[in-house]
Amino acid sequence: MTEVWQNQIRRALLALAPIALALGFTGGILVLAGAPPLLTYEKLIMGSLGTAVKRADVLVIWVSLATCAAGLLVTFTAGQWNIGVEGQIVLGAIFATWAGRVLLEQPGAVAIPAMVGWGLVGGAFWGLLVGLLKIYGRVHEIFGGLGLNFVATALNIYLIFGPWKQRTGGTLSGTTIFPESLWLPTLPGLRLSILSIVIALVIVSAVSLSLRGTVWGLQLKAVGQNIRSAYILGLPTQRLMLSAFIVCGACAGLVGAYLVVGVHHRLVPSISSGYGFLSILIVLLSGFRALWTAPIALFFAAVNIGSTALQLDLQLDASLGGVLQSAIVLAVVLMQGVRERYLDARARPS
Amino acid sequence: MSVFLATLASILSDSAPIVFAGLGETLNERAGVINLSVEGTMLLSAMTGFAVAYTTGSLVLGFAAAAAVGALVALIVAFGSITLKRDQVAIGFILTLMLGELSSFLGVPFVRVPGPAVQPLPIPVLKDLPILGPLLFNQDPVTYLSFSLILVMWWWFYKTQPGLKLRGVGERPEAAFARGVNVKLQRYLYTLIGGALIGLGGAAYSLHVKLGWSHRHTAGFGWIALAIVIFGGWDPLKVTLGAYLFGGLRALATTLQALVPGLPVQVFPLLPFPLMILTLILFNSEALDRVLSLLPPRWQRALMGILRSNPPAALGTHFEP
């Protein structure tokens, strides 16, 4: 009995160790910057959960992170590093804005679905390009994606300061704001749309189910584990890989469209806000388990909102939130290694 | 002619950060370790280098601190991937995000503060040589250091015994191990040195090219350094060529700004990045293969040698004796 308990305690400690490590590391950074760590952590929590508006804002970010993470899960399952996800968000936003500009006079019920649909297409197209470059150009997906991120940024800046500039001239604030009829309806007094939450939940569940319970998901897993074996077994590896990039790109494009239709109501220069990269961290932290990505995304969204409060309350730069997020992921990844190498090895009889 | 020479000289000088970072990354990748954290490392070391040089008034201390930061980050990459056997790409990617944010957080007191800068140091007599003088000898210590690094790296790789060992560790670690080489030690060593060089690249950026510190100061140069290592086929001379080509593209973008009125000015600084990476794509494409296959075999081989080379065979893999 005692041995069981010892094991339980040991496992709990091991699970908590990375969090403690990350909090300790970030605390050290805070001391270095001359800020009180405990007060900072308190503000971080209150700043994200203190009021209804804050809690709604957390959910607004959660929609983007959870959707994007679901898509990334697909490419990770296929063994691909889709760093181009940032560019795929941007392209989704650009396509959605384009659709909105064309359908400016139409009622929202026509224009909004069209904007979202075109966002999906834009992201999927940009994702497909990464896959095509990988398969036919022999460009590692990290560099193809990276290159396309830069192209997407350049295109976005070009549109904002060029053809789509405001009548008063191109500014960093973005394109002209869309009329309210083209905004995604939100809860009164909040920026949150129930519909967006529902869609995100549907996507997360759909990805989770199809990766676990469909032939496609199983085949993707085979490609991700060992592409040569998968090929020899007769799987259409190239088509599977492309399908993963298309699905992930579509999810990212949806996020881009959501940021235009539901959040900013216009195209802005840094429309992706780093959500794509953040989602990669979320998937890494989840250990590639779909059901874990949603709650982790919620935590990350809360840290994002909480860290903006730090700027107002303690004059601390909001980038602290990003340090904390990535420190936790790094600590978890390293601790897994430590456990495998030093602790499990000792437990095993030799 | 003199305007042209001056432009070339400034391209050589402005490319120093990418030369440092690109060659540093070449070094650890030739030993088999991908350090994907280059962008983050450069950001943090650019900030640290500037902050230390600003507070102590010593440029040398600034560069030393930046190199130490680079080596420390590389130590995390090495420990995580060589000792703990985690995914190198994952660790590097997480570090890139973390160090970028960290540099923003810790760098707040130094944003847009005027501070020290590397001063020019023309070399007497040599600087008066025709053409070569203004290009190579009318520069500053950081640029001279970048020139010497290119030569030292080339000599080390191809002309020394330890260099042979280094390449062996990256290509066939099992064979190197069988010959008595401590593969893990070698990989640790070169990852750390590579990281220190990437750190120097960061300081070269904030103390030599774009002076001072601001949020996201290195603006994607770290990613470009990573791409240029592939572009240069893991060869020091070709990597340097890639770095200068990128510098040339940036200079060209600035010149074009005045000549192409239709494009918004904000787009030009971004153009070299996709161009560089698209060139990489072209060099790797099957289409190039087809074009090359139309040429006589001798030309084919020569061009292939210049345009394409394969990554070190054991790049990114774990080694267990």
Side-chain angles (χ1 to χ4, degrees):
Chain A
M1 191 63 190
T2 45
E3 206 170 299
V4 175
W5 269 105
Q6 268 177 357
N7 255 335
Q8 288 293 344
I9 293 171
R10 191 164 145 257
R11 281 178 65 178
L13 283 179
L14 278 174
L16 289 176
I19 312 269
L21 212 69
L23 283 177
F25 172 75
T26 321
I29 302 289
L30 283 168
V31 172
L32 198 66
L38 287 180
L39 182 65
T40 310
Y41 289 141
E42 190 195 319
K43 293 273 178 201
L44 199 64
I45 296 168
M46 291 315 290
S48 60
L49 305 174
T51 65
V53 175
K54 295 266 168 69
R55 287 191 290 268
D57 281 351
V58 168
L59 287 175
V60 169
I61 296 185
W62 177 84
V63 168
S64 297
L65 292 181
T67 310
C68 217
L72 281 162
L73 213 52
V74 177
T75 41
F76 269 115
T77 303
Q80 304 298 306
W81 273 92
N82 186 12
I83 284 194
V85 63
E86 285 280 321
Q88 290 148 26
I89 296 178
V90 174
L91 256 283
I94 288 176
F95 272 50
T97 308
W98 170 76
R101 290 173 66 88
V102 172
L103 301 173
L104 212 51
E105 308 294 321
Q106 304 296 321
V110 175
I112 292 176
M115 290 169 80
V116 172
W118 278 105
L120 263 161
V121 171
F125 164 62
W126 219 238
L128 176 67
L129 282 185
V130 178
L132 289 176
L133 284 174
K134 163 109 185 176
I135 291 169
Y136 298 106
R138 281 182 304 208
V139 181
H140 192 285
E141 73 272 12
I142 288 185
F143 292 96
L146 189 65
L148 288 170
N149 283 353
F150 281 121
V151 176
T153 311
L155 182 64
N156 194 25
I157 297 286
Y158 165 71
L159 290 170
I160 288 172
F161 286 92
W164 291 354
K165 66 169 173 259
Q166 296 185 30
R167 227 170 302 149
T168 46
T171 69
L172 280 173
S173 66
T175 57
T176 316
I177 205 152
F178 282 119
E180 270 190 56
S181 60
L182 265 58
W183 297 12
L184 202 62
T186 56
L187 292 175
L190 303 174
R191 296 197 303 153
L192 181 64
S193 137
I194 292 295
L195 186 64
S196 68
I197 302 264
V198 172
I199 293 178
L201 283 174
V202 167
I203 288 175
V204 172
S205 337
V207 164
S208 169
L209 288 177
S210 51
L211 285 181
R212 280 201 314 184
T214 65
V215 176
W216 177 70
L218 193 66
Q219 290 180 335
L220 274 189
K221 221 173 273 177
V223 169
Q225 295 290 328
N226 191 332
I227 191 161
R228 271 189 65 82
S229 312
Y231 180 75
I232 291 167
L233 282 173
L235 294 184
T237 50
Q238 299 194 337
R239 226 181 311 150
L240 281 166
M241 217 144 62
L242 287 181
S243 74
F245 277 111
I246 291 174
V247 170
C248 183
C251 288
L254 187 66
V255 170
Y258 169 64
L259 289 170
V260 170
V261 181
V263 181
H264 296 290
H265 310 302
R266 58 165 92 184
L267 189 63
V268 298
S270 54
I271 185 91
S272 71
S273 316
Y275 291 157
F277 283 162
L278 209 52
S279 304
I280 295 182
L281 286 189
I282 292 171
V283 177
L284 286 176
L285 189 58
S286 76
F288 313 106
R289 282 165 298 194
L291 289 180
W292 280 86
T293 56
I296 295 174
L298 191 62
F299 168 67
F300 272 42
V303 171
N304 264 29
I305 291 294
S307 54
T308 47
L310 291 182
Q311 206 142 13
L312 298 173
D313 293 352
L314 297 172
Q315 278 78 50
L316 285 177
D317 197 82
S319 45
L320 183 77
V323 176
L324 183 63
Q325 287 161 337
S326 31
I328 290 175
V329 184
L330 184 66
V332 166
V333 169
L334 291 181
M335 277 304 288
Q336 275 167 358
V338 169
R339 198 168 59 200
E340 271 173 33
R341 183 176 162 90
Y342 298 106
L343 304 177
D344 291 356
R346 206 182 299 155
R348 238 179 281 135
S350 50
Chain B
M1 190 64 193
S2 66
V3 176
F4 180 66
L5 270 185
T7 310
L8 280 187
S10 76
I11 289 175
L12 292 187
S13 154
D14 285 355
S15 302
I18 302 225
V19 170
F20 283 120
L23 289 180
E25 184 69 19
T26 306
L27 192 63
N28 49 249
E29 289 199 10
R30 281 306 278 260
V33 179
I34 306 169
N35 181 351
L36 198 80
S37 76
V38 184
E39 174 75 7
T41 305
M42 278 184 90
L43 275 167
L44 190 63
S45 55
M47 193 282 291
T48 313
F50 178 76
V52 170
Y54 174 78
T55 36
T56 62
S58 159
L59 283 168
V60 174
L61 277 182
F63 276 94
V69 165
L72 195 69
V73 176
L75 183 64
I76 301 176
V77 175
F79 179 69
S81 63
I82 301 172
T83 303
L84 299 183
K85 300 210 173 58
R86 298 293 100 188
D87 187 345
Q88 290 174 1
V89 171
I91 292 180
F93 181 78
I94 301 167
L95 279 171
T96 292
L97 294 195
M98 183 165 105
L99 304 177
E101 301 283 1
L102 194 58
S103 72
S104 285
F105 185 75
L106 292 176
V108 170
F110 304 100
V111 172
R112 290 199 178 74
V113 180
V118 176
Q119 298 302 317
L121 181 77
I123 298 179
V125 187
L126 285 178
K127 77 169 168 38
D128 297 323
L129 284 172
I131 301 176
L132 285 185
L135 271 186
L136 301 181
F137 301 113
N138 196 13
Q139 302 274 10
D140 60 58
V142 169
T143 314
Y144 298 138
L145 195 64
S146 73
F147 292 156
S148 18
L149 184 67
I150 302 161
L151 296 176
V152 168
M153 196 79 92
W154 176 82
W155 170 77
W156 188 260
F157 272 21
Y158 301 117
K159 301 286 163 195
T160 70
Q161 196 72 30
L164 196 63
K165 225 190 259 179
L166 155 70
R167 288 186 284 147
V169 165
E171 294 288 346
R172 293 270 200 101
E174 300 81 9
F177 182 75
R179 298 214 48 167
V181 176
N182 186 339
V183 174
K184 289 189 179 180
L185 181 70
Q186 292 275 319
R187 286 192 169 170
Y188 257 97
L189 192 67
Y190 285 114
T191 307
L192 255 58
I193 299 175
L197 289 174
I198 296 167
L200 282 183
Y205 198 71
S206 60
L207 293 169
H208 159 86
V209 175
K210 192 181 169 195
L211 302 177
W213 172 254
S214 59
H215 176 68
R216 299 278 155 185
H217 196 71
T218 60
F221 270 51
W223 290 116
I224 280 297
L226 271 168
I228 282 174
V229 175
I230 301 177
F231 177 89
W234 293 267
D235 173 81
L237 295 185
K238 286 199 278 175
V239 167
T240 311
L241 189 72
Y244 290 152
L245 207 62
F246 178 70
L249 282 176
R250 279 180 18 103
L252 195 66
T254 319
T255 318
L256 282 179
Q257 214 160 292
L259 296 176
V260 189
L263 272 176
V265 185
Q266 290 83 355
V267 176
F268 286 97
L270 284 166
L271 287 181
F273 292 93
L275 274 181
M276 191 72 218
I277 291 167
L278 291 176
T279 321
L280 170 76
I281 291 164
L282 180 76
F283 278 15
N284 277 293
S285 65
E286 286 175 6
L288 182 74
D289 280 358
R290 263 175 241 137
V291 174
L292 284 180
S293 68
L294 299 175
L295 297 171
R298 256 183 56 200
W299 287 38
Q300 236 181 75
R301 268 197 304 276
L303 274 176
M304 282 284 206
I306 297 169
L307 291 179
R308 180 164 309 141
S309 30
N310 292 321
L315 184 61
T317 59
H318 297 307
F319 174 70
E320 193 59 52

